[in-house]
């Protein structure tokens, strides 16, 4: 591919939009039992037949769908977007991705000024206002459940009694931890509209609160899973300091976060831009985490890779 073609491919707005719209309209699911014409697909998906055919033609040219039997069929690429794959929710513009897609329009002002210019916490208000919070919480739970199982398997829970998961969503990670370590009790702390969707479990206390305004419960270990990357440095340091204050001298703070390498992958760098444009947050290097901890009197004690691609970082006084 020459430079001109590469530039055209990189700057083509149609590609992400067409893929996200195909997933939103569940086109791969409609095609799961065989090829359909654009007209048949349009009536099943609730779309305009002419506009849908134009979308399909583009996606065939891009190898997402194929032409077959006078209509359109799935390919291994579109099959990744089948509902059953679990991936579709990350592409559904009627769900949280609709908020994410809109937020990319803030990237230019964010690059110019360093901030997307929204009130802190607007994203969680927007999820609640548009009724998309439960879909976001479910998508997060899918990810963090696996991290919870892996953290439980790590051999460093002796002497720990109480784990507080701050911004713990609906508690998928904490539930896994408690199930694997019967001597632990846990407290799930998150916004009221989020913990409303958390199922009760043995040894699990559920606390609805605002981590900036309400006191955090006292614990031996604080978990902050994928929380800090949603905030700029000043706010992330405030969150760490609040956990450290609530836990006292001996408390350990466990972060589950992506750690940027010296030369970040395109995926990691893309997510870093996404955090900037969505919430004014950022992905961080190991040094960034060390400095962030030191700014509130915490030392970075260890960093361990998890199979999800995130890392487990431990901080303590
Ligand atoms: C990216 S999600 C991570 C959820 C969960 N820890 C996980 O890894 O799946 C960030 C979480 O922080 C919570 N959160 C955001 N602002 C908060 C606040 N002011 N007080 C308490 N929780 C908050 C959100 O509701 C959300 O569940």
């Amino acid at each position: 591919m020459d430079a001109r073609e590469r530039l055209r491919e990189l700057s083509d707005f149609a590609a992400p939009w067409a893929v996200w719209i195909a997933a939103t309209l569940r086109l791969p699911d409609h095609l799961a039992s065989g090829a359909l014409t654009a007209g048949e697909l349009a009536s099943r998906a609730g779309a305009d037949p002419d506009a849908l055919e134009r979308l399909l033609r583009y996606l065939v040219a891009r190898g997402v769908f194929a032409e077959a039997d006078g209509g359109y069929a799935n390919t291994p690429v579109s099959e990744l977007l089948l509902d059953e794959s679990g991936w579709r929710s990350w592409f559904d513009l009627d769900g949280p991705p609709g908020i994410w897609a809109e937020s990319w329009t803030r990237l230019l002002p964010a690059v110019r000024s360093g901030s997307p210019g929204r009130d802190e916490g607007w994203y969680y208000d927007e999820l609640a206002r548009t009724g998309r919070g439960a879909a976001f919480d479910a998508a997060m739970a899918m990810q963090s459940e696996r991290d919870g199982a892996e953290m439980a398997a790590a051999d460093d829970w002796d002497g720990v009694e109480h784990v507080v998961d701050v911004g713990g969503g609906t508690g998928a990670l904490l539930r896994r931890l408690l199930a694997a370590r019967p001597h632990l009790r846990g407290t799930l702390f998150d916004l009221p509209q989020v913990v409303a969707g958390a199922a009760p479990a043995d040894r699990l206390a559920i606390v609805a609160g605002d981590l900036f305004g309400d006191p955090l419960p006292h614990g031996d270990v604080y978990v902050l899973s994928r929380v800090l990357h949603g905030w700029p440095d000043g706010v992330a340091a405030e969150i760490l300091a609040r956990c450290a204050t609530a836990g006292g001298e001996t408390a350990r703070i466990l972060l589950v976060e992506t750690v940027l390498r010296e030369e970040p992958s395109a995926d990691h760098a893309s997510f870093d831009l996404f955090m900037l444009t969505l919430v004014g947050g950022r992905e961080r290097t190991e040094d960034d985490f060390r400095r962030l901890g030191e700014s509130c009197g915490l030392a970075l004690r260890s960093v361990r890779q998890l199979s999800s691609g995130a890392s487990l970082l431990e901080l303590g006084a």
Side-chain angles (χ1 to χ4, degrees):
M1 188 185 297
D2 70 15
R4 216 175 264 253
E5 282 169 332
R6 180 88 183 111
L7 179 63
R8 218 177 12 240
E9 187 183 85
L10 281 171
S11 57
D12 176 13
F13 276 119
W17 281 106
V19 168
W20 291 40
I21 289 165
T24 304
L25 296 177
R26 298 172 188 267
L27 303 184
D29 290 297
H30 295 306
L31 294 173
S33 44
L36 295 173
T37 64
E40 289 166 334
L41 257 181
S43 70
R44 293 184 198 195
D48 175 82
D50 173 62
L52 185 65
E53 179 126 52
R54 291 156 71 186
L55 183 94
L56 287 162
R57 261 192 245 127
Y58 174 78
L59 287 170
V60 167
R62 287 294 197 162
V64 177
F65 292 111
E67 281 173 325
D69 305 329
Y72 297 91
N74 276 329
T75 68
V77 179
S78 63
E79 279 169 357
L80 291 173
L81 297 171
L82 286 168
D83 219 1
E84 68 188 21
S85 77
W87 272 70
R88 201 193 68 84
S89 62
W90 294 93
F91 292 82
D92 181 358
L93 292 167
D94 290 331
I99 304 175
W100 308 342
E102 189 272 333
S103 82
W104 282 101
T105 62
R106 300 255 170 173
L107 187 57
L108 177 60
V111 169
R112 283 193 167 132
S113 72
S115 154
R118 308 240 211 207
D119 289 343
E120 275 165 11
W122 82 274
Y123 172 62
Y124 297 101
D125 295 342
E126 186 66 4
L127 283 172
R129 191 186 67 77
T130 57
R132 300 174 196 207
F136 177 71
D137 298 337
M140 292 308 301
M142 239 168 64
Q143 267 189 334
S144 56
E145 204 170 15
R146 189 162 119 203
D147 294 329
E150 232 175 298
M151 285 164 70
D155 200 16
D156 47 10
W157 297 101
D158 290 350
V160 178
E161 192 196 312
H162 185 202
V163 182
V164 183
D165 192 351
V166 179
T170 50
L173 183 153
L174 194 50
R175 233 182 297 275
R176 277 300 188 98
L177 202 54
L178 297 186
R181 298 281 173 167
H183 74 282
L184 295 178
R185 67 188 171 90
T187 298
L188 170 66
F189 185 99
D190 207 302
L191 296 166
Q193 68 270 22
V194 176
V195 296
D202 277 353
R203 295 172 280 119
L204 176 69
I206 299 177
V207 176
D210 175 354
L211 72 89
F212 300 109
D214 296 315
L216 296 175
H218 175 78
D220 309 308
V221 169
Y222 289 79
V223 174
L224 287 163
S225 164
R226 299 184 171 88
V227 171
L228 294 190
H229 74 161
W231 303 94
D233 282 348
V235 183
E238 182 187 345
I239 296 172
L240 281 178
R242 290 183 76 89
C243 292
T245 304
E249 281 283 287
T250 55
R252 293 157 55 199
I253 301 175
L254 297 179
L255 311 178
V256 178
E257 291 278 344
T258 295
V259 173
L260 287 184
R261 313 252 168 269
E262 280 286 303
E263 282 184 33
S265 67
D267 273 356
H268 286 177
S270 162
F271 212 84
D272 181 42
L273 285 178
F274 178 43
M275 287 296 101
L276 168 63
T277 194
L278 184 71
V279 284
R282 67 184 311 136
E283 299 297 345
R284 295 179 170 90
T285 63
E286 194 175 314
D287 268 352
D288 292 335
F289 282 110
R290 182 173 293 108
R291 276 194 294 270
L292 197 61
E294 283 168 1
S295 74
C296 36
L298 297 166
L300 179 62
R301 290 178 178 162
S302 65
V303 182
R304 193 159 62 84
Q305 183 75 41
L306 298 171
S307 62
S308 61
S311 295
L312 182 65
L313 302 101
E314 178 171 338
L315 296 160

